[in-house]
Amino acid sequence: MVEVTLWGSLSTVAGGKAKHDIEAKDIRELFRKLAEQYPGIEPWIDRGIAVAIDGTIYRDTWSKELPEDAEIFLLPRLAGG
C-alpha cells in the first residue's frame, strides 16, 4: 500500500480528495487502479501525468516500482516551451 497525493486538477477529478491509499507495486498498476476508481482521471493519464517519487520525477517509466514508504505525488504534465 502506498500513499499518493494528487496535485491540482487531478484531485478535482478524484472527488476533491488529494490523498489516496492504493495497493500498487508500480506506476502502471497505480494508474490502472486510479482509473478504475476514478474514471475521470483516465484522460489525464492519456495526456501524461508526471509521477514524483521522493522528489524525483518519472514521466514515462511506468514499470518504476513504488516503495512503500516513499512520498508519491501525481502532477498534471506541464506543456509549453
Side-chain angles (χ1 to χ4, degrees), residues 60-81:
D60 296 311
T61 314
W62 287 30
S63 62
K64 172 69 179 159
E65 289 189 22
L66 302 174
E68 237 180 269
D69 58 342
E71 182 177 60
I72 301 171
F73 285 83
L74 300 185
L75 307 102
R77 188 174 285 187
L78 300 176

